[in-house]
Amino acid sequence: MEKFKNFQFNNLLEAVQSKRNLSQEEKIVLEKAFEFAQKAHLGQKRKSGDPYFSHPIEAALKLAEWGLDTPTIAAGLLHDVAEDTFTSLEIIEKTFGKEIAFLVNGVTKLGKLKYHGAKNGTSKEEYLAENLRKMILAISEDLRVVFIKLADRLHNMKTLSALPHLKQKRVALESSEIYAPLAYRLGMQNLAGELEDLSFIYLHPQEYKWLSEKIKDRFEERVKYLEKAKPIVEEALKKNNIVPQKIDYRAKRISSLYKKLLRFDMNLEQIHDLVAFRIIVNTVEECYAALGIIHQLWPPLPGRIKDYIALPKSNGYRSLHTTVFCLNNKTAEFQIRTLQMHEEAENGIAAHWAYTQSKGTKEFLESGVVFADNKNLQWVQQLKNWQNEFSDPQEFLKSLKVDFFKDRVFAITPKGEVVDLPLGATPVDFAYHIHTAIGDQCVGAKVNNKIVPLDYQIQSGDVVEILIQKSKKPSESWLKFVKTEGAKRRIKSAAKKSASGFLKIPSQTEFKIIVKDRIGILKDVSAVISRSHINISSVNVPKGVNFPAIKIICDTNNKEKIEKLVVKLRSVDGVKEVSHRLV
Ligand code: MN
């Protein structure tokens, strides 16, 4: 037992130390966490029959591989202790301090939500959206919690075969719908791909079997081919004084290959990047030089040169890609990048986090790094540029918090996309953020499935849905409450365009409609108004009344039109009473 412990623990220490130096103090913390978790899980087994403790060890090893700090790795070891054993969080805090307890608690909270099917009225979509919401909130609190959850999930996916069939499907679906996209957004492409591939096995077992058999020979053939081309590349680079750090191959992930095949009528001949060269060089200049050298050797396929260095992908990915007519006129893809770009491409924000932290002081570590998600993580790129401007990591972190994460809220679209808005932002800001046309035609909004007034202040995690009316124009009154510059600009310019329009002439009618609240009532009411070719200027719905009085202001003062509309409105199912006045 003792011997086994030593072996596993030394393994972990080695993994950490291959990435960074470890102080004696940190070793003690890790050892304490190791022994504590081992004891807490003693006698517990995984579904596979393995001792339970093998799972937190694997998670901690992954966190070490990502180069993360000691509290995160310790929390990785402890991550299931509070949930699955009799050990309480208080004891963890007493033994390991606030920071580690905070991380363990964060992971435990993320794990609490369980999907129980339609039984208790939760649909799959609602469940996924709720989980995503939790993840985003966790990110805005402390990104390290999410790293632990991702390491946890990766190992659970690797050992999924031991679980019952139905549970496999559920976990795989969750991994491919939440965890893989999240990892991708965080720039952790390697992890995202691994999760996608593991999910693919369970979500599409037949396709998986078919495809893995089909590509096996082709794959070997491709590797042999690239093996022949490799010395030619090396020689040409050497002639130009470029000694790459590494030239290897990367095989296309089976799940992404499958997605691509769907677009190409399942024709494998169309796939050029089944196996691609990957060249790691020393500097950005060498990246471009190497690209030129390869193009001198073999002509490039038109339209296949991609410069993700000058124009990084939205998740921060940087690299040069090209496909050339290589030996025997067969096509081959090359990816060229520096070692830093490579590490970031593999591990994304984790690599960046580790990098920043390795430069950090003790104060910096203790300040508790706080990150949040942005719509597409464009800030990963900005982060990288910024960090160079700060010699003091603490200053860097401070500016980061102030500029990016303070005064921000994160709203979610019904499809689960994250929208980053300033504090106090309203559904109108949200609508304009999605699309100008959505903002212009916005007549109402639902937050977490309840109708809210347009000046409602969005809270982080709110699921916001915008109700629109075709050919509707923005209302000047919105200027009183919108927060984003984009929305303000757009409303003002629309006002100018209709100079004789809604700005000055008091030509509006306010309808007061008493309704029996039901799903879709607002949609039906606004549809009736739309069909009468009357523009809705604003909608106001009070909360929490059985028979709410909806107030709708319309851009018309035409008596005849108004009277006709009142009749139509009264015939809408659920409408109790309609009155109106000019405003
Ligand atoms: Mn776990």
Side-chain angles (χ1 to χ4, degrees), residues 24-34 70 74 96 100:
Q24 196 51 40
E25 236 172 81
E26 288 179 295
K27 277 184 200 167
I28 292 169
V29 172
L30 288 177
E31 186 166 19
K32 206 160 84 172
F34 189 96
T70 296
F96 295 98
I100 291 174

Side-chain angles (χ1 to χ4, degrees), residues 133-312:
R133 192 184 68 85
K134 280 192 162 192
M135 295 293 279
I136 287 148
L137 292 184
I139 291 170
S140 60
E141 271 183 11
D142 194 322
L143 192 54
R144 292 177 298 176
V145 169
V146 175
F147 291 147
I148 300 168
K149 191 69 199 168
L150 288 169
D152 171 48
R153 174 53 59 117
L154 180 62
H155 185 248
N156 284 340
M157 284 303 293
K158 283 182 178 168
T159 51
L160 199 58
S161 61
L163 263 56
H165 188 66
L166 261 176
K167 198 159 182 205
Q168 286 176 348
K169 287 250 181 210
R170 188 207 23 106
V171 175
L173 181 73
E174 199 179 69
S175 297
S176 100
E177 303 247 326
I178 298 176
Y179 292 91
L182 186 71
Y184 183 80
R185 271 193 216 187
L186 293 169
M188 303 168 82
Q189 312 216 70
N190 212 17
L191 174 66
E194 225 176 327
L195 288 170
E196 279 288 2
D197 269 8
L198 289 164
S199 307
F200 185 68
I201 299 172
Y202 297 97
L203 295 176
H204 305 283
Q206 267 140 17
E207 290 85 345
Y208 173 75
K209 203 168 157 247
W210 172 79
L211 195 53
S212 42
E213 269 164 25
K214 194 149 186 183
I215 59 172
K216 203 176 154 265
D217 293 342
R218 195 173 283 262
F219 184 83
E220 278 163 17
E221 185 191 307
R222 284 300 288 171
V223 169
K224 266 189 206 144
Y225 173 80
L226 293 183
E227 223 28 271
K228 270 189 218 149
K230 189 177 166 182
I232 302 172
V233 178
E234 271 173 329
E235 182 63 29
L237 290 173
K238 203 172 146 198
K239 260 191 205 152
N240 291 276
N241 297 319
I242 295 176
V243 181
Q245 303 215 10
K246 201 162 69 178
I247 300 183
D248 61 9
Y249 325 108
R250 82 105 186 82
K252 194 164 187 65
R253 296 242 174 230
I254 200 158
S255 52
S256 74
L257 178 61
Y258 181 69
K259 271 184 209 151
K260 204 165 182 177
L261 278 172
L262 287 176
R263 282 187 281 133
F264 289 101
D265 299 325
M266 303 317 261
N267 180 1
L268 266 171
E269 300 297 326
Q270 299 269 0
I271 311 293
H272 299 298
D273 56 351
L274 188 62
V275 184
F277 267 120
R278 194 146 57 188
I279 303 178
I280 313 288
V281 292
N282 303 293
T283 61
V284 173
E285 290 73 28
E286 284 188 1
C287 290
Y288 288 102
L291 182 75
I293 292 161
I294 288 159
H295 286 170
Q296 275 170 19
L297 279 175
W298 299 297
L301 237 78
R304 302 271 315 183
I305 305 166
K306 286 177 193 132
D307 185 350
Y308 295 122
I309 294 178
L311 288 169

